[in-house]
Amino acid sequence: MTIWMPNIEPLPGPRYRAIAHAIGEAVSAGKLVPGERLPPQRRLADALGVTVGTVTRGYAQAEHNGWVVARVGSGTFVKQAGTRAAFDMVCSPCDSSEAIDLSLSLPPPHPLRQQALSEALSAMSASPAALTRGVSYLDARGSEGHRDLLAKWLVALGMPLVSHELLITQGGQHGISLVLNTLLRPGELMAADALTYPGAISAAQQAHLKVVGIAFDEAGMDMDALEAQCARQPPRLIYITPDQNNPTGVCLSEARRSQLVALARRYDIWLLEDGVQYLPVEQRGTPLYQLAPERTLFVFSTAKVLAGGLRIGVLRAPLELLERLAAGLRAQSWMVPPLMVDIVCHWVTQPAANMLLNWQTKEISERQKLTAEVLTDYQLRGHPRGSNVWLMLPEGVRAIELCERLLQGGVKVSSAEPFCVGSAPAPQAIRICIGAAKDQQALHSALVTIKQCLAQPPLAPVTV
Ligand SMILES: Cc1ncc(COP(=O)(O)O)c(C=O)c1O
């Protein structure tokens, strides 16, 4: 039996987290070795002067972080794979408060993510070819091998893309920013849904573009409004998330996709199609890059499928733009770190990648159902398979006040302001990122808080 006994006294924060932290450090330092059993929970609880429940939570957190595994009836054991990579525990990311943060659009957490990363790192360190690539300068577009492999993965995900149209980026945000900075000149106009992904708005601001919001409804961007804008001043580029508007989840209808393409052709407008918010293939419409390959740039990323921290994405562009975009990328950062691309390429070829995605798809559906049940009395929007829910507030409730009240109750969500394009007034609504909660229990507790805060008088009436 192990004699490992942590000293959690000097560690800050809740005790369960201190226990998990101590496990991570011990694994990292080799004080706990793969296969070693952690002390029985009661014994550790007595030794540390905490409850058994606290130890259970600490072990569960350590398991969640990918360092240990619980085996029913026999105890908790240090994981075999990737245990030396536990140094990241020292930073214990985003765990500084007890608040449930539903303001960031994240895929639901699962230890398979850390495990897949750990396995990829082990594979990298044992691969002379990957190590050589990792210390080399490569083509700004990404190596041919990397692009081929990523293209295969995208095809398997239902995105019919070919490797010679691709450029590897440091995530979806980088793809957007690269396109705006490379194809548009300061002062030119970008159009987008009147509510859209804030990263696109800030990328446009950074590129000194003008932005205009186009009204949209349940079928997506309003084509009459777009046409009127084109007649006044055609935008140089339209940024759009056709399968799932972020924040509202609205999907652009097939008819409007065709109209959009026709308008883009008539007025010679680039289309920047953002597919980062992942949906299973049967939930997606016809991609714009298929309808108008000659003018569509498509951005995708590993962030919502594998993990945001990897910072790897792809940009699909018409062939004649690739060299300009590559020159833009070279000017910014020469290339994307090959090691990170290798990690992604390894990860997506492992069975765990599909397991994770299948689990995630099911988990998001369950979270959607849970949200609909708890907030049944309220007006909810959002794609039924998407990980964001848009809650239209009842008459008289102000989003800003509700957000403040929720924060006091330990729940963080976003109001509509960051999503507003141009100066149109923000609707009274909040975005709830249901993927961000650590599990369904945490989500449930946050949703109950939201329901209670909505029911609480007196939220000041809206003054118009
Ligand atoms: C619509 C949309 N596009 C792009 C991004 C940014 O993706 P990445 O994290 O890969 O930069 C996000 C992130 O939430 C997003 O929601």
Side-chain angles (χ1 to χ4, degrees):
M1 182 171 290
T2 181
I3 49 162
W4 177 76
M5 213 30 90
N7 174 16
I8 61 167
E9 200 86 335
L11 297 173
R15 298 297 76 195
Y16 82 89
R17 224 177 271 148
I19 292 170
H21 189 118
I23 294 170
E25 277 189 328
V27 170
S28 176
K31 290 181 189 154
L32 279 172
V33 296
E36 189 167 344
R37 186 176 160 197
L38 295 186
Q41 298 190 4
R42 174 155 302 285
R43 190 164 153 216
L44 187 62
D46 290 345
L48 299 180
V50 298
T51 65
V52 176
T54 302
V55 177
T56 308
R57 245 182 122 184
Y59 281 14
Q61 178 74 51
E63 186 173 17
H64 175 84
N65 289 343
W67 302 307
V68 296
V69 61
R71 290 190 208 127
V72 181
S74 38
T76 302
F77 296 83
V78 176
K79 275 271 229 358
Q80 292 294 343
T83 49
R84 305 293 299 178
F87 54 82
D88 58 341
M89 179 60 181
V90 178
C91 305
S92 200
C94 64
D95 261 352
S96 59
S97 89
E98 284 295 329
I100 303 177
D101 189 347
L102 305 183
S103 67
L104 293 174
S105 183
L106 306 175
H110 194 289
L112 265 179
R113 293 187 212 285
Q114 286 89 329
Q115 207 176 308
L117 176 59
S118 157
E119 273 156 23
L121 286 167
S122 303
M124 294 308 98
S125 64
S127 157
L131 294 173
T132 303
R133 274 193 298 275
V135 296
S136 307
Y137 283 102
L138 301 181
D139 187 323
R141 289 170 58 189
S143 79
E144 216 177 301
H146 282 152
R147 279 183 285 125
D148 285 349
L149 205 144
L150 290 176
K152 264 198 205 127
W153 175 59
L154 294 165
V155 169
L157 291 181
M159 293 171 222
L161 294 160
V162 283
S163 96
H164 62 265
E165 305 172 322
L166 301 181
L167 186 135
I168 301 176
T169 63
Q170 304 196 35
Q173 182 64 31
H174 180 213
I176 295 169
S177 170
L178 181 62
V179 169
L180 299 184
N181 278 291
T182 310
L183 300 191
L184 274 68
R185 286 194 303 271
E188 287 192 316
L189 184 65
M190 173 182 108
D193 284 327
L195 291 174
T196 200
Y197 165 58
I201 304 172
S202 50
Q205 284 163 349
Q206 285 284 319
H208 305 287
L209 304 177
K210 290 193 206 123
V211 284
V212 61
I214 309 292
F216 67 102
D217 57 26
E218 285 72 31
M221 190 178 276
D222 179 334
M223 289 302 134
D224 292 336
L226 179 62
E227 184 148 19
Q229 175 61 46
C230 289
R232 272 195 306 279
Q233 182 191 2
R236 192 71 198 93
L237 176 144
I238 299 171
Y239 166 82
I240 191 152
T241 47
D243 290 325
Q244 190 185 175
N245 168 276
N246 180 2
T248 64
V250 159
C251 168
L252 188 66
S253 72
E254 289 293 318
R256 289 197 191 173
R257 286 174 200 234
S258 304
Q259 287 173 288
L260 174 63
V261 164
L263 273 177
R265 286 190 172 134
R266 176 139 48 104
Y267 288 95
D268 191 18
I269 303 169
W270 296 118
L271 297 173
L272 177 51
E273 175 178 23
D274 182 338
V276 169
Q277 288 283 337
Y278 176 81
L279 283 176
V281 61
E282 66 281 2
Q283 304 287 324
R284 294 180 227 141
T286 313
L288 302 179
Y289 60 81
Q290 276 195 316
L291 294 173
E294 81 289 356
R295 62 186 57 255
T296 303
L297 296 106
F298 173 69
V299 167
F300 187 66
S301 152
T302 53
K304 315 297 172 193
V305 187
L306 309 180
L310 298 171
R311 309 309 310 143
I312 295 297
V314 292
L315 171 62
R316 179 269 167 205
L319 291 182
E320 70 273 16
L321 292 184
L322 281 170
E323 202 28 66
R324 259 170 89 188
L325 291 163
L329 194 147
R330 253 193 309 275
Q332 291 171 352
S333 65
W334 199 266
M335 64 183 188
V336 172
L339 185 60
M340 296 314 294
V341 192
D342 260 314
I343 286 173
V344 166
C345 288
H346 178 84
W347 185 331
V348 300
T349 50
Q350 301 305 303
N354 269 341
M355 276 165 56
L356 181 60
L357 199 51
N358 293 340
W359 170 84
Q360 181 173 311
T361 304
K362 190 165 152 278
E363 175 72 12
I364 289 174
S365 291
E366 286 170 12
R367 289 181 182 216
Q368 282 281 359
K369 270 194 218 121
L370 180 66
T371 309
E373 271 161 33
V374 177
L375 298 175
T376 181
D377 298 332
Y378 296 95
Q379 256 195 71
L380 299 178
R381 297 269 159 77
H383 195 288
R385 305 292 282 279
S387 58
N388 302 324
V389 170
W390 185 242
L391 168 56
M392 313 286 292
L393 301 183
E395 277 290 310
V397 177
R398 291 173 72 95
I400 292 288
E401 258 179 58
L402 177 67
C403 289
E404 268 168 32
R405 189 173 273 189
L406 283 172
L407 211 48
Q408 283 160 19
V411 176
K412 195 170 172 198
V413 296
S414 309
S415 68
E417 265 84 6
F419 305 96
C420 288
V421 181
S423 53
Q428 298 303 323
I430 55 171
R431 187 188 69 168
I432 309 169
C433 296
I434 58 173
K438 81 173 178 356
D439 52 29
Q440 290 186 27
Q441 209 182 334
L443 176 64
H444 184 263
S445 135
L447 293 170
V448 169
T449 304
I450 293 173
K451 186 176 168 175
Q452 286 166 348
C453 285
L454 278 166
Q456 256 175 42
L459 281 166
V462 182
T463 45
V464 214

